[in-house]
Amino acid sequence: MFGDMSKMMSQLQDAKKNVEEAKLRLNDILIESNSGNGLINITITASKQVKKIDVNENLLSDKEALEDYLILALNEAITKADKIQEQEMAIAAKKGMDFGL
């Protein structure tokens, strides 16, 4: 009984370690998104840190379009990051929670 509990605690610690490692990996995964047929290009990490925003200078005179394209590109990048985060966390948790079933 205690051997099973000890094994389960060890596996929980492994799962926690795997999740922490996955979180670190998310900082290195770059996601690119664009809108306005490439007038706005955004790069973020899978942990949702904005790394780069490129704006075509033709947009600089149209504040409303610039704002709209930024919102579209950022929302797309965040959606992609969310999906990658879900996948990475599921893999990390599964690796650490293999109870031999």
Side-chain angles (χ1 to χ4, degrees), residues 5-44:
M5 182 64 89
S6 175
K7 181 179 177 185
M8 190 174 4
M9 291 303 290
S10 174
Q11 289 173 329
L12 286 172
Q13 289 174 344
D14 288 346
K16 183 178 177 181
K17 179 182 169 211
N18 289 334
V19 167
E20 291 303 317
E21 289 172 354
K23 286 180 181 178
L24 289 174
R25 279 194 310 274
L26 292 174
N27 293 327
D28 295 329
I29 298 172
L30 296 179
I31 298 164
E32 294 183 5
S33 178
N34 66 67
S35 63
N37 291 321
L39 294 175
I40 297 280
N41 294 294
I42 293 176
T43 303
I44 68 171

Side-chain angles (χ1 to χ4, degrees), residues 10-95:
S10 174
Q11 289 173 329
L12 286 172
Q13 289 174 344
D14 288 346
K16 183 178 177 181
K17 179 182 169 211
N18 289 334
V19 167
E20 291 303 317
E21 289 172 354
K23 286 180 181 178
L24 289 174
R25 279 194 310 274
L26 292 174
N27 293 327
D28 295 329
I29 298 172
L30 296 179
I31 298 164
E32 294 183 5
S33 178
N34 66 67
S35 63
N37 291 321
L39 294 175
I40 297 280
N41 294 294
I42 293 176
T43 303
I44 68 171
T45 66
S47 59
K48 301 178 189 170
Q49 296 294 311
V50 176
K51 292 296 185 178
K52 186 175 183 182
I53 298 176
D54 287 321
V55 178
N56 183 297
E57 61 185 63
N58 293 333
L59 271 179
L60 296 179
S61 61
D62 189 346
K63 180 181 182 293
E64 187 175 323
L66 174 60
E67 291 170 346
D68 289 344
Y69 289 143
L70 277 169
I71 290 168
L72 289 170
L74 282 167
N75 284 335
E76 179 184 320
I78 290 168
T79 298
K80 289 177 182 179
D82 286 339
K83 289 178 184 176
I84 291 171
Q85 281 184 4
E86 287 175 20
Q87 293 169 347
E88 288 289 322
M89 291 302 129
I91 291 168
K94 185 174 179 354
K95 270 177 47 179

